[in-house]
Amino acid sequence: MMMFKTKGALRRAAVYITGIIALAGIFLTISCKNKEKAIPASPPGYDLNKPVKYKMPDDLTEISGFAFHKGKSDSVYAQQDEEGFLFNLKLGDAKAAYTKFAKSGDYEDVAICRDWVIMLKSDGMLFTFPYSEVRSKEVAHVQKIKDLLPEGEFEAMAADEKTGLIYVLCKHCTDEKTSKSSSGYILQLQADGTLKQSGNFTIDVNEIERLVNKKRVAFRPSAMAKNTATNEWYIVSAVNKMLVVTDTGWKIKNVYPLSVTIFVQPEGMAFDNQRNLYISNEGDQLSAGNILKFSFVK
């Protein structure tokens, strides 16, 4: 009788062990598949986890946008979201010079296109003035342009030097009927520095959710820039720390997670003419604002 119980116990143990091995195989297969489908850490040519960090002067603790003139990174033109100043400096400078273009306000981004500076206010108001005045104490020929963009909140703007087109993305606009899309607007820069409506586009948030495998994503664009080498658009959403890359027709190609320790509050972005990528972070009372450089590697 004892012999029968022992054999039965051995059979049960064998079945148990076989089951464990089978389950281990299943988990290993699932793990491998998940690795295959894992979101890549960085776009091709860049390592978003290894930046060169440039600390901003105190005046630019709350840096909210910056731009280069014709892709030249020897000078940075930046703004902060409280004063109507355009700052200029070299990366690594302890101080920045500035020119006044408007009274205090919530300014969110800057672009330079065809020797015109375009400034974006959070309410959608735009200001333009000649690039030749960026080192004056105060801009003499500034134009204030309103009613081109719908009522809402705006933080992201970029320019295409070749076409003279200015692209602006809503962070949140009142005419957006669903959270499953994000509205964008295209403006044509005129020879006299004025802007005219030239079209619109849409970012499909459904596709972002599919790629990150989440049912709901609060996509709130805070910066955008065009990679002219690939004709791809790079869009940062500071709220959920992600970089979205689209093709020239705004179809989403991929979504990359951003490290919360590196990207504390990403608010500005630009490429230089050597294909290097730059992203700025707003600072606070405890830390300085910064611009992060991600060198392009073939």
Side-chain angles (χ1 to χ4, degrees):
M1 198 61 147
M2 292 296 293
M3 178 79 65
F4 176 78
K5 288 185 176 180
T6 303
K7 287 181 179 180
L10 288 172
R11 281 196 297 270
R12 288 194 294 273
V15 171
Y16 177 77
I17 292 170
T18 301
I20 292 296
I21 293 172
L23 284 173
I26 292 171
F27 286 131
L28 182 60
T29 302
I30 292 172
S31 177
C32 289
K33 286 184 177 179
N34 286 339
K35 285 181 180 179
E36 289 173 2
K37 294 181 179 179
I39 299 172
S42 303
Y46 304 96
D47 187 342
L48 296 179
N49 295 306
K50 293 182 179 179
V52 176
K53 183 187 290 187
Y54 295 95
K55 179 181 175 182
M56 290 293 100
D58 290 343
D59 286 340
L60 285 168
T61 295
E62 295 187 41
I63 180 172
S64 55
F66 69 98
F68 301 125
H69 179 233
K70 296 184 177 179
K72 299 176 183 177
S73 60
D74 55 345
S75 291
V76 177
Y77 301 91
Q79 66 186 91
Q80 47 103 315
D81 63 5
E82 291 183 354
E83 301 291 341
F85 298 152
L86 176 66
F87 295 84
N88 67 84
L89 71 159
K90 295 184 183 298
L91 289 172
D93 283 355
K95 292 185 178 180
Y98 65 87
T99 183
K100 182 177 180 179
F101 68 90
K103 63 181 182 181
S104 298
D106 188 6
Y107 300 97
E108 293 293 345
D109 214 346
V110 53
I112 302 175
C113 184
R114 297 184 175 181
D115 291 326
W116 286 93
V117 178
I118 303 99
M119 312 295 292
L120 173 67
K121 201 174 179 183
S122 63
D123 61 2
M125 187 176 292
L126 295 146
F127 298 78
T128 68
F129 57 88
Y131 173 76
S132 58
E133 298 186 30
V134 296
R135 286 177 171 78
S136 305
K137 287 186 177 180
E138 188 168 349
V139 173
H141 304 94
V142 63
Q143 300 181 71
K144 183 164 61 175
I145 304 167
K146 58 182 180 179
D147 299 328
L148 281 182
L149 300 173
E151 183 179 347
E153 185 179 1
F154 300 85
E155 289 189 359
M157 177 177 65
D160 189 323
E161 179 75 19
K162 290 183 179 180
T163 63
L165 294 175
I166 312 301
Y167 298 83
V168 185
L169 256 176
C170 283
K171 182 177 182 181
H172 178 67
C173 282
T174 54
D175 64 351
E176 291 177 335
K177 297 179 181 180
T178 173
S179 61
K180 299 301 181 181
S181 64
S182 183
S183 303
Y185 299 89
I186 306 172
L187 309 174
Q188 178 70 61
L189 177 65
Q190 307 297 301
D192 62 356
T194 57
L195 298 164
K196 290 186 178 180
Q197 291 180 348
S198 185
N200 51 60
F201 60 97
T202 302
I203 304 298
D204 185 0
V205 179
N206 281 305
E207 184 63 9
I208 296 174
E209 292 172 342
R210 186 187 72 81
L211 288 170
V212 300
N213 196 26
K214 290 184 179 180
K215 291 184 178 180
R216 188 170 184 177
V217 170
F219 182 62
R220 297 289 182 262
S222 56
M224 65 186 298
K226 188 175 185 180
N227 184 338
T228 56
T230 63
N231 281 326
E232 293 173 323
W233 286 100
Y234 282 43
I235 304 165
V236 164
S237 177
V239 170
N240 37 33
K241 301 293 190 296
M242 64 170 58
L243 171 65
V244 175
V245 177
T246 81
D247 64 15
T248 187
W250 307 100
K251 182 179 179 181
I252 296 169
K253 298 179 71 173
N254 222 323
V255 181
Y256 303 92
L258 299 177
S259 166
V260 295
T261 56
I262 297 174
F263 300 92
V264 179
Q265 192 172 341
E267 297 283 345
M269 180 165 51
F271 287 91
D272 67 16
N273 54 18
Q274 301 300 309
R275 299 183 65 177
N276 300 312
L277 170 64
Y278 302 76
I279 298 176
S280 64
N281 284 292
E282 278 194 22
D284 52 32
Q285 294 179 342
L286 301 176
S287 60
N290 62 54
I291 290 180
L292 307 176
K293 177 182 179 181
F294 302 91
S295 298
F296 174 72
V297 179
K298 293 182 180 179

